[in-house]
Every structure is written in structure tokens, then in C-alpha cells.
Amino acid sequence: MKGFAMLKIGETGWITKDTPACGPLDAICKPLALAPCTSDVHTVWAGAIGDRRDMILGHEAVGEVVEVGSLVRDFKVGDKVLVSAITPDWSSFAAQENYAMHSGGMLSGWKFSNFKDGVFGEYFHVNDADGNLALLPEGMDLGAACMVSDMVPTGFHGAELADIQYGDNVAVIGIGPVGLMGVAAAAIRGAANIYAVGSRKNCADLALEFGATKIVNYREGDIIEQILDLNHGPVDKIIIAGGDNDTFDQAIRMLKPGGKIGNVNYLGEGDYVKIPRVEWGCGMGHKYIAGGLMPGGRARSEKLARLVTANRIHPEKLITHTFHGLENVEPALMLMKDKPKDLIKPLVIID
Ligand code: NDP
Ligand code: ZN
């Protein structure tokens, strides 16, 4: 089969590989829709997780099952499925301790395009199929379904990590597709004011539609000053879904004692993040920082898909560019790398 791969750090190309083998608990799927992710860009061009050779990229997909292992209970050949970008081993010790995403070692629930070939091929392998697939709801838009793979669960995980409660004043730093779903999650969890930080107009417009109450443009001035001013003081909670290693410094400075930061941003470069000592209460300010890989798995996919079918969230609105045919994962990924101003998220439909 052919697939679009990371050949080495900084280089991509098409390669040919054997179709993956199906173990007793696994499924083999063919893609119906695919999306490239900013994480693919960090992986290839920043070398953020180290070198990978001839590894098929991609972890966001909707699929059709073409083979199931002998022990798979709930899925059969021909089922159309939501595929979680993070596919933990659900019987692992880590999963039993509620950190399934780290089953097998830190970040090891992230298998596609990290520890094994990803979804940008004619076929892909899903481990623990009963735990990691979910049936595609009847009539669901393929774009929305593909966003349930990663963008929706990651944005929502940012809101979980920040522990957003009703009435909270919240800043969401970064409103690309992940941060936009963070805005939607904050709104659903009952945030009062939501300050969304970004600069692209289409992202800002969608943030307002998803529940942001004010847009803060980081290119037009210091975001700490802007947010402290709009909020008349520090905020309760912060989701970080963009920025760089200095963003924690800014977040700590605009957060209340007892406030919480939920980071889902993938820090692709540098050795350290900055925490300002005094504003962090000299280590005693009760300003919490949690950073997490989204948990993945079937229950989460089913529940988030339910929010889509109930018309409570509209992740299909993230899709600004649609391609057709597997060969177009290449230009779609290049769009993600170049981030033109009108891009939020590209989608590739495999007709
Ligand atoms: P985008 O690049 O599309 O969005 C990044 C956002 O951050 C944009 O709104 C951008 O603004 C904003 N931004 C950039 N620089 C700054 C800055 N200095 N200060 C404030 N805001 C800034 O990324 P995605 O939404 O696709 O992904 C967000 C992150 O989430 C990525 O790092 C991705 O790898 C990671 N991720 C993490 C996962 C997890 O499980 N934890 C899973 C999936 C993704 P603008 O472009 O408007 O100028
Ligand atoms: Zn992703």
C-alpha cells in the first residue's frame, strides 16, 4: 500500500509498505476522511519528538473497517467509524489509574505517526479496536466526524485541565482549531467571560460564534495588559492552545491565586518553559499548571459526537479547505505548515 510519510526530520514523501497485520484485538481500516494536524508539522519540521524514518504521518481520520481481529466484539467489516487520534491500551495499568494516554510510557497512547504508521495511507492499523473506535453516527458530516478524532477532544481536554466551572472568567490563548474547540468547551461548561487570543480574522469570527465574549489580538499589544484591563483583574482559568515557551509566563501573570491553567499546546522547541517566580507566589501562589495529551478512546469519541448530533457544537465550521483523494494529503499538510491567513483546518475526503 502507499502512504504519505515523514522520511526524516524536515523531509516528507510517498512510500510503499506492506498492509498492516491485524492482531486479535485490532482492526484494519481504510480512510474515508483525513485531516493533517499542527502536531504533524511539529513532528516533521521541528523534529519535536526526535527522528522518525519512513513513518506514515497523520492521526486524524474517519474510517471504514476492512478487517477485525478474532477477539473484537463490537465492530465488523464494513462499519464506518470515528477513529480516536490517541489510541491507548485500555487494559493497561496507566488506564486503570486514569492516565490511559500514557499507557506504555509517557505520551505512548499517541501511537499513530509517533510509534507506528499513521492514517495517511491506503490502510491503517487500530490497536484495541473495541476501546478506540466508535460507530460513525448516521448522517454525520465527515468533516465534523474527522474533527472528533483530535480537535474536539483536545480543545475539550484543555477545558477539563483548566477545570472550568460555571461563572469563571476564562482566557483561551490560541484560537486555531484546537483553541476554538477550547472556546466551545469553556462556553458549554458555563464560563462567564471568555477572552480569546489570536490574530486571524476568520478564527476570531468563529471564536465569537463559539462563545468568546472578547477577542484579544496578541500582535497589537501585550496580552497581559489587554486581558487584565478587560477583566478588571486576573482571570480564574486559562486554556493554552497556542503560543510558545514564554506563554506560561504570560498566563501566570494574568491568573488569580487558586487559578488553573490547562495546556494542550505541543511545545515543539526549546529546553525550558518560563514560570515567573514572584507572580507564581514565590512557589506558594496556588496557581496550578496542568498540561496534557488528550485521553482518546471510544467513550470520549461517542460523547463528543453526541454533542455534534445534538447540535451543541459545530466542529465542521473549522474546515476551511476541502480536498478529494488520498494524494491530496500532501498539499493539505503543506497548507498546515504554511498556515495561510484564511486557513483554519483542511480536510481530505477519500472518495
Ligand atoms: P494553530 O497554529 O492553528 O493555532 C495556534 C494559535 O495560537 C493561533 O490562534 C495563533 O494565532 C496563536 N498564537 C500563535 N503565537 C501566539 C503568541 N505568541 N501568543 C498568543 N497566541 C499565539 O494550532 P492548532 O490549533 O492546530 O493546535 C494548537 C496546538 O495544539 C499545537 O501545538 C498542536 O500541536 C497542539 N495539539 C495538542 C494535542 C494534545 O493532545 N495535547 C493534540 C492536537 C494538537 P494566529 O494564527 O491567529 O496569529
Ligand atoms: Zn492532531
Side-chain angles (χ1 to χ4, degrees):
M1 66 167 201
K2 64 176 183 169
F4 188 65
M6 170 173 180
L7 305 179
K8 59 181 185 178
I9 291 175
E11 214 175 301
T12 55
W14 289 93
I15 59 171
T16 304
K17 285 199 167 182
D18 290 340
T19 303
C22 189
L25 294 167
D26 308 341
I28 305 299
C29 296
K30 65 176 186 182
L32 300 175
L34 296 168
C37 180
T38 305
S39 302
D40 293 309
V41 175
H42 292 310
T43 299
V44 177
W45 286 281
I49 50 171
D51 203 10
R52 297 286 188 278
R53 298 285 166 128
D54 298 338
M55 177 188 71
I56 296 177
L57 288 164
H59 51 261
E60 300 183 14
V62 184
E64 182 178 322
V65 176
V66 297
E67 188 180 351
V68 286
S70 56
L71 297 178
V72 173
R73 294 181 311 261
D74 298 338
F75 298 92
K76 58 181 189 319
V77 171
D79 281 345
K80 294 184 175 170
V81 286
L82 301 166
V83 184
S84 180
I86 303 300
T87 54
D89 298 321
W90 289 98
S91 61
S92 65
F93 197 84
Q96 292 183 28
E97 291 193 311
N98 292 326
Y99 288 96
M101 65 297 257
H102 302 300
S103 57
M106 189 163 64
L107 307 182
S108 297
W110 170 23
K111 294 185 167 46
F112 289 131
S113 66
N114 184 5
F115 295 120
K116 69 172 187 186
D117 284 323
V119 298
F120 291 174
E122 288 176 278
Y123 299 98
F124 58 86
H125 167 270
V126 181
N127 60 291
D128 204 344
D130 283 322
N132 288 315
L133 294 176
L135 286 176
L136 176 68
E138 194 76 33
M140 183 181 273
D141 173 88
L142 278 183
C146 203
M147 296 303 100
V148 172
S149 209
D150 192 3
M151 299 298 92
V152 180
T154 299
F156 272 66
H157 193 46
E160 288 169 326
L161 290 171
D163 188 28
I164 292 173
Q165 304 292 328
Y166 62 82
D168 278 344
N169 289 326
V170 174
V172 180
I173 304 179
I175 46 169
V178 171
L180 284 166
M181 293 321 306
V183 168
I188 279 188
R189 290 177 71 117
N193 292 291
I194 302 177
Y195 309 106
V197 180
S199 76
R200 284 177 280 158
K201 184 176 180 314
N202 58 352
C203 293
D205 290 345
L206 202 51
L208 291 169
E209 198 177 322
F210 283 2
T213 49
K214 284 272 188 296
I215 302 298
V216 172
N217 189 331
Y218 69 95
R219 294 181 197 270
E220 287 177 357
D222 181 17
I223 65 169
I224 306 169
E225 264 173 39
Q226 294 187 69
I227 290 177
L228 291 179
D229 188 38
L230 285 168
N231 194 53
H232 309 295
V235 295
D236 300 291
K237 307 285 168 60
I238 299 175
I239 298 174
I240 301 181
D244 54 27
N245 299 5
D246 292 339
T247 305
F248 288 100
D249 180 309
Q250 295 173 308
I252 290 288
R253 290 174 197 272
M254 60 171 93
L255 187 69
K256 271 184 184 167
K260 295 181 182 170
I261 297 171
N263 178 74
V264 285
N265 196 26
Y266 173 1
L267 297 169
E269 289 164 12
D271 292 323
Y272 296 96
V273 296
K274 240 200 255 170
I275 309 293
R277 182 183 62 82
V278 172
E279 290 75 7
W280 204 38
C282 305
M284 298 178 285
H286 291 102
K287 296 191 181 187
Y288 298 88
I289 303 172
L293 179 67
M294 71 90 166
R298 174 178 179 178
R300 171 166 282 253
S301 294
E302 286 186 0
K303 284 195 159 184
L304 293 172
R306 213 181 284 162
L307 286 177
V308 179
T309 51
N311 270 320
R312 301 266 285 149
I313 57 171
H314 294 279
E316 69 284 356
K317 293 192 176 179
L318 300 175
I319 313 289
T320 49
H321 295 65
T322 303
F323 297 84
H324 291 267
L326 181 63
E327 66 281 7
N328 280 317
V329 293
E330 182 171 4
L333 178 65
M334 295 310 158
L335 261 185
M336 223 42 205
K337 176 172 179 268
D338 298 340
K339 294 255 158 81
K341 281 214 171 319
D342 61 343
L343 176 83
I344 301 182
K345 190 85 181 176
L347 178 75
V348 184
I349 307 268
I350 316 299
D351 302 297

